[in-house]
Amino acid sequence: MNNNKPNKVMALYHKVTRYPFGDKIFSKMVSRMAPYFGTIHPHITSLQENRCECLIKKRKIVQNHIGTVHVIAICNGLEMAMGTMAEASIPKHLRWIPKGMSVDYTAKAGSDILCVAEVKPEQWQVGDMLVDVKAYDTNGVVVVQGHIKLWISEKPQK
């Protein structure tokens, strides 16, 4: 971003995470803004400008018939990481909307999953933008990787 003042989402994250269990409280707040995210019980473990990490615990509710974390739950976690990163990072004069997601399943997801969304600062330009997303198991193995395509546009003048 062009100035040193954080936007509302990043400011809220810094404020809330100063307190005990603040990262869990922040995660609940984000899940309430987009209620579908709450279905995976996500936990935002790290939020920085242009990067977000979101943990999905391996629970029965997110498992498939073979006992691994279902890829749709992982995609949900990747989308939460991307959306939180985007809201915390986008320059004030721009806005975003998702256009699509393309992922590859690269390994079985047999443990807790860390979903990571990351961009480079110079990517924040009007037009299509690809956000790199990866999901890691507890051994650091990439189990899902791909990108989420966003449409970036100028905010209308008020």
Side-chain angles (χ1 to χ4, degrees):
M1 289 176 33
N2 295 342
N3 58 29
N4 292 334
K5 184 179 178 191
N7 70 15
K8 289 179 184 178
V9 172
M10 191 63 84
L12 179 64
Y13 176 77
H14 289 306
K15 181 179 180 179
V16 172
T17 56
R18 284 187 232 152
Y19 299 103
F21 306 106
D23 51 347
K24 291 183 180 191
I25 293 167
F26 180 79
S27 300
K28 289 270 189 201
M29 294 169 84
V30 172
S31 293
R32 292 191 119 192
M33 288 183 241
Y36 184 70
F37 290 143
T39 63
I40 58 168
H41 303 284
H43 177 192
I44 295 174
T45 58
S46 175
L47 179 60
Q48 306 159 6
E49 198 168 306
N50 302 311
R51 182 181 171 90
C52 182
E53 298 179 4
C54 176
L55 181 68
I56 303 171
K57 290 280 194 181
K58 183 183 175 196
R59 297 181 178 96
K60 190 76 172 160
I61 195 166
V62 296
Q63 291 179 34
N64 58 23
H65 65 289
I66 60 172
T68 61
V69 179
H70 197 289
V71 74
I72 297 303
I74 295 171
C75 287
N76 197 356
L78 291 170
E79 189 175 7
M80 180 171 179
M82 178 282 303
T84 306
M85 178 279 302
E87 283 298 311
S89 306
I90 192 164
K92 293 181 188 319
H93 68 286
L94 298 176
R95 60 186 178 175
W96 65 274
I97 190 166
K99 286 180 69 176
M101 175 185 258
S102 176
V103 295
D104 293 314
Y105 316 153
T106 55
K108 284 186 179 181
S111 68
D112 296 347
I113 302 297
L114 183 67
C115 299
V116 179
E118 187 168 25
V119 297
K120 293 178 176 67
E122 60 271 13
Q123 286 182 261
W124 293 109
Q125 304 283 331
V126 171
D128 283 341
M129 179 173 117
L130 297 179
V131 177
D132 289 327
V133 292
K134 288 185 180 167
Y136 301 88
D137 69 10
T138 55
N139 294 318
V141 174
V142 176
V143 297
V144 175
Q145 66 183 4
H147 63 265
I148 299 174
K149 185 189 287 187
L150 304 182
W151 174 250
I152 307 296
S153 60
E154 296 276 345
K155 285 183 180 174
Q157 301 233 345
K158 292 184 180 183

